[in-house]
């Protein structure tokens, strides 16, 4: 009897311990999630506070000219959202989420979207009546995602000039080769150019950006300044995501919108451009040109809280 009683007590203790460990695990997981949400809420407040501070004294009043600055704002009326897309900041994945949201419930999987999401395939704020534009800007949740300006620049170069991109080769590519690489008559097609080993160098690309940026001429959206695309001192954004923390930022945004259980988040692009590789990319760019380039993108660095790359700018 004593042996049987002892076994029963041991079994009871084991069950109690197992239940205790399960409860501890559940509570610990829940606590961890709540702490993460609190940390990310705080991070959002810090990003918005910095933006307000940087814009202080430079906040733009909405005027007739302001309507010309809304070209990158996509609207989702079903969920009261406005997204300012920035090329080379995972905008394809985010546009796919918007596409799925616009289709309504039951929501599809953004990862399975094969429809064209660029161009005019999504509704843009700028195309709407002016009185409706103001109402949406006032009442909708407005968000954007940003990225380290120089790393975004490297990404744009790699994507548009190191691949077989006929559109960018025939447009800016051939001009860059003529203007900065001393090729008087570059081939008509990117295929012919690659066969000859002819390619726009990173430094030639930077020279091109400097030529446009220093005279404040409108640049291609893939390397135009983020503040010029999204006007953060005109539009009061409710959420500012970073490419560097894309996965958790977009999941946090969906939680805020109460859509976390409805939308599957596409895997975030892994940023392969480290600080060391940034140094390698800019090795061919003279110091004075680096400094001039920083001046062009300085506002982006400051508005969105990115560290000034002193290692690139000091002699």
């Amino acid at each position: 009897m004593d042996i049987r009683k002892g076994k029963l007590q041991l079994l009871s203790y084991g069950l109690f311990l197992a239940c205790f460990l399960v409860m501890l695990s559940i509570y610990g997981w829940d606590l961890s999630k709540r702490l993460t949400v609190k940390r990310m809420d705080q991070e959002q407040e810090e990003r918005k506070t910095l933006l307000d501070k940087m814009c202080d004294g430079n906040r733009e009043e909405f005027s007739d000219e302001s309507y010309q600055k809304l070209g990158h704002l996509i609207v989702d009326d079903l969920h009261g959202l406005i997204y300012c897309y920035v090329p080379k900041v995972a905008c394809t994945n985010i546009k796919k989420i918007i596409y799925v949201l616009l289709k309504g419930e039951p929501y599809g999987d953004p990862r399975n979207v094969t429809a064209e999401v660029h161009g005019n395939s999504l509704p843009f704020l700028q195309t709407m009546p002016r009185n409706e534009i103001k109402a949406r800007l006032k009442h909708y949740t407005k968000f954007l995602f940003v990225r380290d300006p120089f790393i975004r620049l490297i990404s744009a170069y790699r994507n548009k000039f190191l691949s077989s991109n006929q559109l960018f080769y025939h447009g800016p590519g051939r001009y860059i080769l003529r203007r900065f690489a001393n090729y008087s008559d570059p081939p008509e097609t990117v295929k012919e150019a690659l066969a000859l080993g002819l390619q726009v160098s990173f430094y030639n690309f930077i020279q091109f950006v400097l030529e446009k940026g220093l005279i404040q001429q409108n640049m291609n959206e893939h390397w135009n300044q983020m503040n010029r695309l999204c006007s953060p001192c005109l539009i009061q954004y409710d959420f500012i995501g970073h490419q560097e923390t894309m996965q958790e930022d977009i999941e946090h945004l969906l939680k805020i919108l109460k859509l976390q259980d409805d939308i599957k988040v596409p895997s975030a692009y892994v940023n392969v451009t480290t600080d060391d590789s940034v140094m390698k990319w800019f090795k061919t760019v003279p110091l004075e040109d680096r400094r001039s380039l920083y001046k062009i993108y300085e506002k982006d660095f400051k508005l969105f809280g990115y560290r000034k790359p002193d290692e690139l700018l000091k002699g």
Side-chain angles (χ1 to χ4, degrees):
M1 286 291 289
D2 288 342
I3 294 173
R4 188 179 298 170
K5 187 177 179 181
K7 285 182 176 178
L8 286 171
Q9 285 179 333
L10 191 61
L11 182 61
S12 298
Y13 289 146
L15 288 170
F16 171 77
L17 182 60
C19 290
F20 175 76
L21 289 173
V22 169
M23 292 299 294
L24 186 64
S25 173
I26 292 171
Y27 178 75
W29 173 249
D30 185 58
L31 179 62
S32 173
K33 284 200 296 184
R34 279 187 283 172
L35 288 173
T36 299
V37 169
K38 185 176 180 181
R39 173 181 61 80
M40 297 195 71
D41 282 339
Q42 184 177 348
E43 199 167 63
Q44 278 301 311
E45 286 308 310
E46 288 172 358
R47 290 174 184 176
K48 289 188 286 186
T49 299
L50 174 65
L51 195 56
D52 285 339
K53 181 182 176 184
M54 291 295 108
C55 290
D56 188 36
N58 293 307
R59 276 281 174 199
E60 300 175 46
E61 293 294 325
F62 213 86
S63 64
D64 286 344
E65 292 180 2
S66 302
Y67 293 100
Q68 305 305 314
K69 299 179 180 181
L70 309 177
H72 275 239
L73 273 61
I74 295 169
V75 180
D76 171 9
D77 282 328
L78 285 175
H79 302 89
L81 294 176
I82 293 176
Y83 162 53
C84 183
Y85 79 91
V86 178
K88 307 315 302 172
V89 190
C91 72
T92 299
N93 278 349
I94 302 172
K95 284 179 178 180
K96 286 181 177 181
I97 292 174
I98 298 290
Y99 178 88
V100 165
L101 289 174
L102 286 167
K103 292 293 182 183
E105 299 185 63
Y107 299 111
D109 187 336
R111 296 170 296 184
N112 297 332
V113 172
T114 57
E116 177 58 58
V117 293
H118 298 301
N120 296 318
S121 57
L122 298 172
F124 279 81
L125 185 67
Q126 200 174 46
T127 64
M128 298 172 179
R130 290 194 171 190
N131 61 321
E132 293 183 18
I133 287 175
K134 278 195 168 183
R136 285 176 172 87
L137 284 172
K138 183 177 180 180
H139 298 292
Y140 282 14
T141 298
K142 299 167 290 295
F143 72 96
L144 78 163
F145 277 78
V146 295
R147 187 180 192 179
D148 178 284
F150 279 3
I151 292 178
R152 177 173 169 257
L153 203 57
I154 293 168
S155 177
Y157 167 73
R158 290 171 63 177
N159 180 245
K160 302 306 178 188
F161 298 106
L162 291 189
S163 62
S164 299
N165 191 316
Q166 177 60 28
L167 180 66
F168 276 81
Y169 171 76
H170 196 267
R174 293 184 76 239
Y175 171 81
I176 292 170
L177 289 171
R178 284 195 299 266
R179 178 80 172 83
F180 302 108
N182 296 320
Y183 285 96
S184 59
D185 188 25
E188 283 290 328
T189 70
V190 68
K191 187 176 179 180
E192 292 173 293
L194 290 175
L196 294 172
L198 189 58
Q199 219 165 31
V200 171
S201 72
F202 183 63
Y203 178 42
N204 290 158
F205 171 64
I206 295 301
Q207 289 175 295
F208 173 66
V209 172
L210 287 171
E211 180 183 68
K212 298 289 184 184
L214 290 175
I215 60 173
Q216 296 192 346
Q217 187 176 4
N218 279 337
M219 294 189 282
N220 182 280
E221 63 175 10
H222 292 86
W223 49 86
N224 202 354
Q225 298 99 315
M226 294 179 288
N227 74 84
R228 290 172 77 92
L229 298 178
C230 293
S231 302
C233 291
L234 171 68
I235 298 162
Q236 198 99 25
Y237 286 95
D238 305 291
F239 188 94
I240 304 163
H242 282 203
Q243 168 87 27
E244 294 76 11
T245 51
M246 173 65 71
Q247 198 74 23
E248 62 176 10
D249 278 358
I250 204 158
E251 287 173 0
H252 188 54
L253 175 61
L254 290 173
K255 281 189 178 76
I256 292 170
L257 301 173
K258 297 182 173 29
L259 291 167
Q260 73 273 20
D261 297 325
D262 300 310
I263 300 294
K264 292 180 176 66
V265 181
S267 296
Y269 166 75
V270 178
N271 185 7
V272 295
T273 311
T274 62
D275 287 345
D276 286 342
S277 62
V278 170
M279 287 291 292
K280 288 175 185 174
W281 278 104
F282 278 92
K283 200 172 181 180
T284 60
V285 180
L287 180 60
E288 285 308 310
D289 285 343
R290 295 182 206 171
R291 288 172 174 168
S292 297
L293 191 70
Y294 176 74
K295 283 291 180 188
I296 291 171
Y297 292 96
E298 183 175 17
K299 197 171 180 181
D300 279 352
F301 277 97
K302 289 182 174 180
L303 285 171
F304 302 118
Y306 285 101
R307 180 186 65 84
K308 182 179 180 181
D310 287 318
E311 66 278 5
L312 291 176
L313 307 175
K314 291 180 178 177

